[in-house]
Structure formats: C-alpha cells, structure tokens
Amino acid sequence: PSLQRRPTGLLLPGTKKMLQRLAQFGFKMKFVWSQDGDTLFVKLHVPLPVLETAADLLDFNLPLDKEVVRAMAEAGVPDPARADSDGWIIAPIHPNEDRSICKYDPFDYMYAPFDREPRRRRLFMNKITPATHNSVHAHPFSSNVRLKLIRELLYNPRFCGYDLEKLMLPSDERAEADEPGLLMHFAIHNPSRVQFLSENWIRWCKSPFAKEPFTRVKDYFGEQITLYFVFLHHYYKWLLLPASFGLLVQANVGWELNTQAVLVPVFIIFLSFWCVTMLEFWKRRQAEIAVLWGTTEYEETESDRPAFRGKHTTSPVDGSDMLFYPRYKAYAGLAYTYGIVGTLIMGVIAVVVGIFTLRYYMLAANVSTLTEVAPYVASTLNALSIQLLNYLYGKVARHLTDIENHRTDTQYVDALIIKNFAFQFINSYSSFYYIGFIQEQVQGSCGEGITCMDALAINTAIIFAVALTAGNLQEIALPLVLSQWKLKKKVDALEENGLDAMPMVEFQSLLEPYDSLTGSMDDYLELAVQYGYVTLFAAAFPAAPFLAFVSNYVEYRFDALKLLKVFQRPMPRPAEDIGTWQTVFEVITVLAVITNAGLMTFTFDDVWNIEWTVPGRLWTFILFQYFVLGFMFGLAKAIPDVSTDVEIQRRRQLHTAAKLIRMEPDEDDELGSLSVKMSAIDAMIADAVAKLDEPDDEPIPVDTIRDLLPLGDPRRKLRRGGSGPRERLLLASEGGGALRIEVPQGEKKGDEEEPSPIHSVTSRL
C-alpha cells in the first residue's frame, strides 16, 4: 500500500492502527519513502508459517507432486491393527494408465486442499527456485498463490477484513487523523517474468493456431484474467472461417450491387451453424482448463465480500459465525435497482426513436441533399449515442449493484454483467431491429431508392466501424499514450533535479491502477457486443467477421501489452469459468438464429429469385429456426460439455484427494473386523445343517398363523420340480433380515439318500 504522512513526517494515528493490525496477522513490512518525502510505501511480506496457516484454514487448492503422489498411492496405507492379515486402511491404488482410455497420466494435474500435517504436506508440489532447491525452505506457494493468500488475509473477514477500495482516498485529498490515509494498493511486477511474457506471449507475426503460454500467464496474472485471453484466442481463431467466407460474400454483393446477392442466404445458414458449433467447443475447452488448473470447485468455497453487509449470527448448519442478510431486503434491493435499469432502457429506446424521427423528417423534406444523407446522419448519430450512453450507464450500473449487497464476488460480478448487457443490447441493437423489421411497416419504406436491407447494411457498416474505432482508441491508443507521457514526464523531472534513480515501488505506483474484480468485464462486454454485430446482422454486412478477426488479433496483443507495461500488476483471482458471459453468448447465438431467419424470410425481397407467398415465408421462418435450434441442442447432446478424458481426470483428482489428503478408508475396510476364515464358515454351516431336524425354540401355533394371513386360510400347496421336492431353509438373525435358501435333495442310492456336500451349500449361500 501507499500511505500519506503528516508534513512533519509523523504517521497518522489511523495509519499506525492499520499497520498494527497487519502486523497482528503476521505481515512483515518494509518501509520505503518517496523521493519527495510525502508518501510512504509499505512493502508487505508474509512468512511461510502464516501462509501455511491461511492456506490450511481456507482449504486452498494447490497442485500435488506427481511422483510423490504416485509413490504413496502405489504403497497404500496399511492398517497396524490388522498387520497379521494383510489389512489396509487404504489399499494400494493402481489406476489403468492406458492412454487410449484417457490421454492424461493418472497422476498429472492433481490438486487438493492444503494440509499442514507433515505426512500430507509432502504431497504438495514445491516451488523450485535457486534459493529453495533441496532446501528446508522449499514450499508449494508460487508467486501467484502467495498474492491470492495475501489478498485473503487483507480482505477476508476471518482475518484483517479490510475493504481497501473503500479506504482509498482521492489523490487530491488528505486523510483525517482517524483514517489510514491509503492512496493505492497494488502487487509488484516481477521484471524477469514480464520480460519472458513480452518475448513469448506478445508476438505480432504469429499464427492463430500457434500454442500460447497460457499456463505461464495464469501463474502470473491468475485464472480470471487468463480465461479472458483463452476465450479471446478461441474466438478469433474460430473467426477465420466466417471471415474468409464473409469476404467472398461481400465481393459477391459488390459484384451484383445487391445486398441480397445469391451467396447471402448461404452465408446466413453457414453463420447460424458456425456460432452454435463455436460455443459448444468452447464449453469443452473451458471444462478442460478448470481441471488442468484445479479450479473446478472454486465457487463452492468462495469467501464473502468484505463489503457484504448483514447481521452477525451463527450458522444454522454448523453453528459457525456468519453474516445474515434477510431475503426480503435482497428482493427489495433487486426490485429497486432493476426498476431503475428498466427506466434507463426506456430512455435509450426514446433516444433511438428520436434519431429515426429526425431521419423521417429529413426524408420527408423532399430536399435531394437531405434525402441522400439522411441514412448516414441517422446511423452516425446512433453510433455516437451508443458510445456515450454506454459510458454513462457503466457508472450507474456499478452503484446499483453495490446497493444489492451480494455475498460473494462471483455473485456481484454476475449481477453487474446482467445489468450491463441488458442495457447495451437494447442500446446497441434496437436501431437494427427497427430498420430490419419495423420501419417499412411504419413509414412505408426504408428510404428513397433503397431497400430495407440496403438501409440495414449502411447502419451496420457505420455503427460497427465506429464501435471498432472508438473501442480501439479508448482501450489501446489512449492508455498507451497517456502512460508514456506520464512516465516520461516523471523521468524528465528526476533528471532536472539531478537524480539518476528512484525506488522500483515508486515507479510502479506511477502505472495505471487495474481493477481486478471488474477489469476484464469491459473487455468481455466489448466482445459480446461485437459478437452480436457479427452474428445477428452479418447478412447486411458480410465483411463484419473479417473486421472482427483483425480487430481481435490486434486487441489480444495490445491487451497483453497493457497488462505488462501500462497497468500495475493485478491481484490474481481464481475463476472456474467465464461465468455469466457464457450465458450471454448463448443468448446472442439463439437470437442470431431467429434474427437471421427473420431477415431471410421477411426482409429479403426474394431468395434466389423464388417468389414467396406469405404462408411460404412464415413456414420457412419457422422451419429454419427450429431446424438450426434443433441442431444446436442435438450438438450439445452429441458433444458433451466435458470430454471423457477430462471427466476421468476429474474423478482421479477427487479420488486422490479423498484417499491421500482426507485419508478416507476404503469402504470394505469397515467390515474387515468381521472377516472369518473359510474353515470357520464350513464348520458353521455343517453345524447348522446338522440341527435342521431340531424343533424351533419359538414355535408359532397354526391358529396364530391363520390369523395373520391377509386372505384367509389358503390350502397348502406342495411345489414340485426337477428330480424331486425341495427343502426350504429360513435363516434369520435378531435385528436383521432373513435369507431363504433352497437346498437340493441328494441322489438316492437304493433305500438311502446321499446328503448334499457342505461346499455345495456354501456355494449357494
């Protein structure tokens, strides 16, 4: 953290209190003053015993050492109480290693909750460095894991419980005496790792199919940020197909000078199947990553947000301390916030109506100049209003989500995603739906001398181009230029004052702050809106996938560059998947199928010069969308979200954690004390057979039996079959069940009957 101090050089009382609390929870601190002496930087370090304690208390998932796990699994855990009978608490584990069944080694990618108990601790993979190799200081806590644990120690209510975002002061204010005076907090970049990622991750001339160092990126930035890059890479790689085909279709449109050229319907059909397939394969990729990175159960063990408000009470399940927030208050907050969101969405619709009203009057003026520019003016105004309203709404959505008081970060982010996407969907696409399906019915035409598909093509091209340009300027050019200017200005000031160096921590404080919670949300939102332009209305602008591919190829590398060179190092956050964004892309996919079916059947004047009747168009619309949606659901069943290899490896993870970490005994071991030798079983059965003719010690009178019969007194029937009658034996135990055994009669030799062998009875038993 970066803290203020008084002009006299004394720390504020609030600052001292905060530092004392950090020390109470095991933090070691090193103090570094800024060169102007006005800011105190506190470098935090957590000793290994504190990390182990926190990881154990939080059941922190860490990777296991493959060779140690294999050796322990194959050795098993013998039961000392049954050493004479070769008994086991956990029998040796020898999983099938046939790679045709599962492509992973049985002991690869093993994760388990950390445990400090010495026998279990040695199972975890040690972080190997020159200082820890073959040393007693070896430990399993990588830089990424240490930062996650430090964040838990700072934020988790079980430890320090600070909400650092709320404690931060604006840069132009000074703290009161009882305030910590916190100016910023950030993780420190590792120059050697930044250099490695710069050389191996950010390559401008690189095939979309080249392997990316995502594991190294995850180890540095955490799973949440890395998952964004994995998805972006998957998306732009799959865009190659529609981008290539789209250019061909756009050339066909230009050749025929017709937005309803012969290849456009084919492109619509192709794109509908493409988006469905792309998302299905992403689900499999996402499930595989969760297993390889050990995050499959993260959301089930996530801690409460420090900003979560509630009444202190005890858990109704296990009696532990917890915060309780009444459900009626949560529903009241949702009703309030979504009421405001609905009102803002109505405002967006009013803006769109106003723009198209202006367009209508420009066309109705019968002035040739106005008539010609009306579609372009309306589309440009719409594009600008989209960017402005999206920016303003982003501030409001964050405040509304704070009001809802969500318990975990995942719930908070999901709620924020829903608000942002609902607004942006209406704001970005309402004009397209109006032109494509409503304008001709309301105004009689979409413009003088143009079809509605022509008007839709103009609108799509202008808005998509403005969105790409504005997005790249805002996310790429502006941050790079401002960062370069600010850092250069600081360096020039140092040289003017005769200084040739500055503390590394002070230099990194000059970098732009990164919001780890919602930092990737704007990137996902931009991708979701772009995906809508590509799939919903690509029939009007077939070159859209190609522009999206080029934009994403460039943005992938600039986003990586910003994280390494422009932003302070984000605090790593775990993530199981891309969360609600998966649902957002699936919703867009379904709407894309329906929208493209509507464009092809209702907006097109004709398809391949086929004159359609109204019933024919309606039936084509219905059959097309249901055929593609049926294909989508069929593909989802044919291609499971989790592959067989991943499912097997996941079950191996669970089994290894259960046996080697939690030491759950084998199920049959609980019955081991009841085992009896075979000779004892033979003697027991022989004794039972010898006593078959002895009278029952508790006989039941016949009259009593008749009273118990539900249907009266049926006649006794003697069942015969095979070579002769069968004797029936009823074995019962007090407090247990009864086993009925049929014993075959022996073969007669003359007047005597040969008894059945005891082992025959045993086998039947």
Side-chain angles (χ1 to χ4, degrees):
S2 171
L3 304 165
Q4 283 187 351
R5 69 167 184 171
R6 293 181 183 275
T8 58
L10 299 176
L11 293 177
L12 296 167
T15 303
K16 289 183 178 180
K17 184 178 178 181
M18 181 180 184
L19 296 180
Q20 288 169 353
R21 184 165 177 79
L22 294 177
Q24 179 184 354
F25 281 93
F27 282 93
K28 302 296 182 182
M29 289 166 273
K30 181 179 180 181
F31 300 97
V32 179
W33 291 102
S34 62
Q35 289 190 326
D36 57 13
D38 191 49
T39 304
L40 171 64
F41 296 98
V42 184
K43 298 177 69 173
L44 298 179
H45 167 71
V46 180
L48 181 59
V50 179
L51 290 175
E52 291 185 343
T53 302
D56 195 349
L57 291 174
L58 295 169
D59 287 334
F60 214 80
N61 231 28
L62 292 178
L64 301 179
D65 189 296
K66 173 182 175 180
E67 299 305 326
V68 177
V69 170
R70 178 186 290 274
M72 185 171 178
E74 293 177 349
V77 180
D79 186 356
R82 296 165 51 200
D84 58 336
S85 59
D86 295 329
W88 299 91
I89 296 177
I90 299 174
I93 302 172
H94 298 284
N96 189 341
E97 301 193 25
D98 186 352
R99 295 302 175 90
S100 64
I101 298 176
C102 179
K103 67 180 181 180
Y104 301 112
D105 185 280
F107 299 100
D108 273 341
Y109 308 110
M110 292 288 108
Y111 293 83
F114 181 75
D115 196 312
R116 286 178 292 171
E117 194 273 324
R119 192 197 62 81
R120 297 183 179 93
R121 189 192 185 282
R122 67 187 182 89
L123 291 172
F124 292 91
M125 183 184 299
N126 284 328
K127 172 181 175 289
I128 302 300
T129 65
T132 62
H133 186 61
N134 293 329
S135 167
V136 294
H137 300 292
H139 60 80
F141 303 108
S142 64
S143 171
N144 175 26
V145 172
R146 292 200 301 273
L147 286 175
K148 290 178 184 176
L149 289 171
I150 287 174
R151 184 185 179 279
E152 288 290 340
L153 289 169
L154 289 172
Y155 283 83
N156 196 310
R158 297 171 64 182
F159 305 110
C160 294
Y162 283 123
D163 187 354
L164 297 182
E165 279 69 28
K166 289 191 174 182
L167 293 177
M168 286 174 55
L169 286 171
S171 58
D172 57 347
E173 293 185 11
R174 298 198 67 84
E176 300 295 335
D178 60 342
E179 294 178 342
L182 182 66
L183 296 177
M184 65 179 66
H185 60 92
F186 56 92
I188 299 177
H189 274 296
N190 184 317
S192 62
R193 296 193 179 185
V194 169
Q195 181 67 23
F196 173 85
L197 292 175
S198 298
E199 295 174 354
N200 296 275
W201 187 27
I202 308 174
R203 291 184 178 178
W204 292 98
C205 297
K206 194 174 186 179
S207 167
F209 301 98
K211 186 177 181 180
E212 298 286 352
F214 287 130
T215 300
R216 300 295 292 269
V217 177
K218 180 263 299 181
D219 291 340
Y220 191 69
F221 289 117
E223 293 82 2
Q224 185 186 72
I225 289 176
T226 309
L227 267 176
Y228 161 72
F229 284 98
V230 176
F231 177 75
L232 177 57
H233 182 259
H234 173 87
Y235 173 48
Y236 85 69
K237 182 170 63 176
W238 273 75
L239 272 174
L240 273 174
L241 283 174
S244 304
F245 192 16
L247 286 179
L248 179 63
V249 176
Q250 193 68 56
N252 179 234
V253 170
W255 179 264
E256 295 185 18
L257 296 177
N258 181 9
T259 54
Q260 304 174 40
V262 66
L263 287 180
V264 174
V266 180
F267 185 62
I268 290 176
I269 297 171
F270 163 79
L271 204 61
S272 299
F273 287 99
W274 170 85
C275 58
V276 170
T277 309
M278 187 273 291
L279 283 183
E280 283 301 320
F281 277 91
W282 165 248
K283 291 179 185 177
R284 291 171 66 89
R285 174 70 170 139
Q286 182 175 248
E288 180 183 28
I289 288 173
V291 169
L292 301 187
W293 293 353
T295 58
T296 49
E297 295 182 348
Y298 164 69
E299 294 180 9
E300 299 177 9
T301 59
E302 189 175 5
S303 304
D304 290 353
R305 298 174 61 233
F308 176 69
R309 307 178 304 276
K311 177 183 177 181
H312 286 276
T313 184
T314 56
S315 169
V317 178
D318 57 10
S320 60
D321 293 335
M322 63 169 289
L323 289 176
F324 173 71
Y325 190 66
R327 188 169 298 178
Y328 76 89
K329 287 187 177 181
Y331 288 152
L334 290 173
Y336 172 74
T337 56
Y338 280 97
I340 294 177
V341 171
T343 302
L344 294 175
I345 288 176
M346 295 301 295
V348 169
I349 295 175
V351 171
V352 174
V353 170
I355 291 173
F356 280 92
T357 301
L358 172 64
R359 182 179 186 273
Y360 172 77
Y361 281 112
M362 291 177 68
L363 292 172
N366 290 326
V367 178
S368 59
T369 305
L370 292 179
T371 302
E372 292 176 0
V373 301
Y376 301 96
V377 171
S379 296
T380 303
L381 289 175
N382 190 18
L384 296 176
S385 70
I386 288 173
Q387 300 301 317
L388 178 61
L389 293 175
N390 285 343
Y391 174 78
L392 296 176
Y393 178 77
K395 307 292 184 182
V396 177
R398 186 79 179 257
H399 175 68
L400 294 177
T401 309
D402 289 337
I403 293 175
E404 293 172 356
N405 191 31
H406 293 281
R407 181 177 290 274
T408 66
D409 285 338
T410 298
Q411 294 172 353
Y412 180 90
V413 171
D414 287 347
L416 189 56
I417 289 171
I418 293 173
K419 291 183 186 65
N420 277 320
F421 179 71
F423 181 87
Q424 292 230 13
F425 185 89
I426 301 298
N427 189 31
S428 301
Y429 307 132
S430 55
S431 63
F432 294 87
Y433 282 101
Y434 176 79
I435 294 173
F437 301 107
I438 300 174
Q439 184 174 1
E440 188 173 21
Q441 311 302 322
V442 174
Q443 300 181 7
S445 70
C446 292
E448 185 176 349
I450 60 174
T451 65
C452 288
M453 282 301 298
D454 296 335
L456 189 61
I458 294 171
N459 196 61
T460 305
I462 292 177
I463 291 180
F464 189 48
V466 170
L468 288 181
T469 304
N472 289 332
L473 286 175
Q474 181 182 353
E475 293 193 6
I476 297 176
L478 192 60
L480 289 175
V481 171
L482 291 179
S483 177
Q484 177 75 11
W485 175 78
K486 185 169 74 170
L487 294 176
K488 187 176 184 303
K489 182 179 178 181
K490 183 67 176 179
V491 172
D492 292 342
L494 288 175
E495 292 179 346
E496 290 176 2
N497 294 327
L499 300 174
D500 57 359
M502 68 185 301
M504 174 60 74
V505 65
E506 182 177 4
F507 169 77
Q508 294 199 21
S509 72
L510 300 175
L511 301 177
E512 296 298 315
Y514 186 91
D515 188 343
S516 298
L517 180 61
T518 60
S520 59
M521 180 177 296
D522 292 337
D523 297 320
Y524 276 118
L525 190 58
E526 181 186 2
L527 280 184
V529 173
Q530 181 202 96
Y531 181 70
Y533 289 134
V534 168
T535 58
L536 290 169
F537 304 101
F541 188 42
F546 174 76
L547 296 180
F549 169 78
V550 174
S551 174
N552 292 338
Y553 184 89
V554 174
E555 183 173 353
Y556 175 89
R557 283 146 181 82
F558 270 114
D559 284 347
L561 178 64
K562 288 189 302 180
L563 283 173
L564 293 171
K565 299 295 182 65
V566 176
F567 289 116
Q568 296 166 354
R569 182 179 179 181
M571 290 294 285
R573 285 178 177 269
E576 186 174 338
D577 47 41
I578 64 173
T580 303
W581 290 115
Q582 178 72 36
T583 304
V584 166
F585 282 93
E586 289 176 352
V587 168
I588 294 175
T589 298
V590 173
L591 291 175
V593 173
I594 299 172
T595 301
N596 284 312
L599 289 175
M600 188 170 63
T601 54
F602 298 124
T603 308
F604 276 35
D605 294 332
D606 61 73
V607 177
W608 300 318
N609 296 321
I610 300 174
E611 294 295 333
W612 284 3
T613 61
V614 173
R617 289 177 180 270
L618 183 60
W619 276 109
T620 302
F621 171 72
I622 294 173
L623 293 176
F624 176 80
Q625 62 175 315
Y626 280 105
F627 178 74
V628 178
L629 292 177
F631 170 79
M632 179 175 71
F633 292 117
L635 190 66
K637 295 296 183 182
I639 305 177
D641 294 348
V642 181
S643 67
T644 303
D645 292 331
V646 172
E647 178 61 26
I648 291 174
Q649 199 68 8
R650 175 61 188 145
R651 290 164 61 186
R652 286 170 172 171
Q653 286 181 350
L654 295 175
H655 185 71
T656 300
K659 296 299 180 183
L660 303 186
I661 300 298
R662 297 192 296 273
M663 297 296 293
E664 296 179 2
D666 295 338
E667 293 181 1
D668 57 347
D669 283 348
E670 297 179 3
L671 301 176
S673 60
L674 303 179
S675 61
V676 183
K677 293 184 178 180
M678 198 65 193
S679 58
I681 294 177
D682 291 344
M684 185 169 56
I685 295 176
D687 182 63
V689 172
K691 296 179 179 179
L692 284 178
D693 295 331
E694 295 182 4
D696 195 335
D697 58 345
E698 294 183 5
I700 303 176
V702 173
D703 292 339
T704 303
I705 297 176
R706 287 176 177 174
D707 293 338
L708 297 175
L709 297 177
L711 299 178
D713 184 15
R715 295 182 179 180
R716 299 178 64 187
K717 296 181 178 179
L718 183 63
R719 179 181 299 177
R720 299 181 182 274
S723 60
R726 293 176 182 267
E727 293 183 359
R728 301 188 180 273
L729 174 66
L730 185 66
L731 298 181
S733 61
E734 183 179 356
L739 178 64
R740 189 171 185 176
I741 305 174
E742 296 183 352
V743 183
Q745 293 288 353
E747 297 295 334
K748 289 187 177 181
K749 293 184 178 180
D751 296 330
E752 295 184 355
E753 185 177 278
E754 183 181 353
S756 301
I758 291 297
H759 285 286
S760 174
V761 179
T762 304
S763 64
R764 283 184 169 272
L765 178 61

